[in-house]
């Protein structure tokens, strides 16, 4: 049984696609996968009712093919890979990346192959490309490595980097799904088009996000959650400036702050998906979760960083 967790991007979504750093945290919710020898390669996903072979005209089949191709041995056994998904898809929590990493891990285990978590994250890039076209790699690296880290996309052949942050205090978070799913691929193209049209404005905005990441890293290292929350609110304002927020996400952030959250923002691609709120402690996180429940079909408290 292989498990890979989802992630929340606390700072820097979209800017990370365009070379700025992002600060992300792994979450305990994710995807479990098993691989067992079978007569033919087959991929099943619960609770989605997916049951496909690798040659079907379907993104999950193409992604499965990419994972099988990591074992380029024509005489290898065939596998039935089963994935159990414990997070909503299309919600900005890195569901596809967690699935890719868990499937690759399960196939490696079945073949007796040991792969370093970072290598597993890199290996899942081919899986992510099926869904996202131009992924920065932050989702698959976080699914493979976890913890809290600053991620930088590699460019011009240089490798991506993932620098873990030592935290003084763990971060009590509330994740709330707006119920509106969105396509990361479409959101990334929409922001890229804005960048091409207005390179100066959007470039400055991305630079602003990069400085939030630097300050947030210091605040997390100091255990200054109040400062981290304020920086999250600032990042949310910048994301709204890229038209990534929705009325529902704004309402979730507002209710979370009114219920005592230190800061709140959308997380992931936006245009729907999830918001994340930072709280002082788990009791306060429970109060925020309760306040959000009537608004959001999926709300969870998750502590991250230790
Ligand atoms: C999606 O979780 C985060 C984005 O920045 C896309 C990416 O980094 O690949 C929107």
């Amino acid at each position: 049984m292989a498990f890979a967790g989802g992630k929340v991007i606390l700072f820097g979504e979209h800017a990370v696609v365009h070379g700025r750093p992002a600060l992300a945290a792994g979450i305990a919710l994710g995807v479990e996968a098993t691989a067992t020898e079978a007569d033919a390669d087959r991929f099943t996903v619960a609770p989605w009712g997916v049951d496909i072979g690798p040659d079907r005209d379907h993104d999950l089949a193409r992604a499965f093919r990419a994972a099988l191709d990591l074992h380029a041995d024509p005489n290898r056994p065939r596998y039935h890979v089963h994935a159990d998904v414990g997070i909503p898809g299309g919600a900005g929590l890195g569901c596809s990346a967690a699935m890719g990493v868990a499937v690759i891990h399960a196939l490696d285990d079945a073949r007796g192959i040991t792969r370093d978590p970072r290598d597993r994250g890199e290996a899942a890039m081919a899986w992510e490309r099926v869904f996202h076209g131009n992924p920065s790699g932050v989702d698959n690296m976080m699914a493979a490595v976890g913890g809290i880290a600053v991620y930088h996309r590699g460019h011009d052949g240089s490798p991506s980097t993932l620098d873990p942050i030592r935290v003084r205090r763990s971060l009590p978070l509330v994740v709330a799904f707006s119920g509106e799913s969105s396509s990361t691929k479409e959101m990334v193209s929409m922001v890229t088009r804005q960048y091409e049209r207005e390179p100066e404005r959007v470039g400055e905005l991305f630079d602003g996000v990069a400085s939030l990441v630097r300050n947030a890293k210091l605040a997390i290292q100091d255990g200054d959650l109040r400062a981290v929350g304020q920086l999250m609110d600032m990042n949310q304002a910048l994301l709204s400036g890229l038209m990534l927020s929705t009325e529902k996400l704004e309402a979730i952030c507002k209710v979370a702050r009114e219920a005592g959250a230190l800061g709140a923002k959308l997380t992931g691609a936006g245009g729907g998906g999830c918001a994340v709120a930072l709280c002082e402690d788990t009791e306060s996180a429970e109060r925020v979760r309760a306040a959000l429940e009537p608004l959001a079909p999926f709300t969870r408290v998750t502590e991250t960083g230790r």
Side-chain angles (χ1 to χ4, degrees), residues 14-191:
H14 289 284
V16 68
V17 174
H18 302 280
R20 274 61 166 197
L23 196 160
I27 56 174
L29 310 162
V31 178
E32 281 177 355
T34 50
T36 42
E37 285 194 31
D39 293 340
D41 290 325
R42 175 175 167 220
F43 186 37
T44 53
V45 184
W48 299 350
V50 170
D51 187 346
I52 47 178
D55 299 322
R56 279 273 295 281
D57 182 20
H58 190 294
D59 275 354
L60 279 171
R62 279 184 277 276
F64 182 42
R65 172 91 266 147
L68 291 170
D69 284 350
L70 293 170
H71 303 262
D73 167 6
N75 298 320
R76 68 162 173 80
R78 306 292 139 190
Y79 291 104
H80 172 201
V81 177
H82 178 73
D84 238 305
V85 179
I87 38 176
L93 297 179
C95 179
S96 66
M99 195 188 295
V101 170
V103 165
I104 288 168
H105 199 167
L107 281 168
D108 281 350
D109 282 354
R111 302 217 67 201
I113 293 171
T114 311
R115 214 185 284 263
D116 175 71
R118 280 170 193 257
D119 292 342
R120 204 176 295 130
E122 292 285 354
M125 197 68 173
W127 175 289
E128 273 294 84
R129 272 198 204 100
V130 171
F131 299 99
H132 298 325
N134 180 23
S136 68
V138 63
D139 290 13
N140 33 304
M141 288 309 278
M142 290 309 297
V145 179
I148 299 189
V150 173
Y151 176 83
H152 232 121
R153 179 181 202 167
H155 64 100
D156 294 338
S158 68
S160 61
T161 57
L162 187 76
D163 297 317
I165 301 179
R166 262 178 219 284
V167 299
R168 182 170 285 217
R169 292 173 59 189
S170 59
L171 308 186
L173 300 170
V174 182
V175 175
F177 180 37
S178 63
E180 312 159 327
S181 40
S182 84
S183 152
T184 300
K185 201 176 203 165
E186 279 167 26
M187 290 297 126
V188 167
S189 321
M190 192 265 279
V191 172

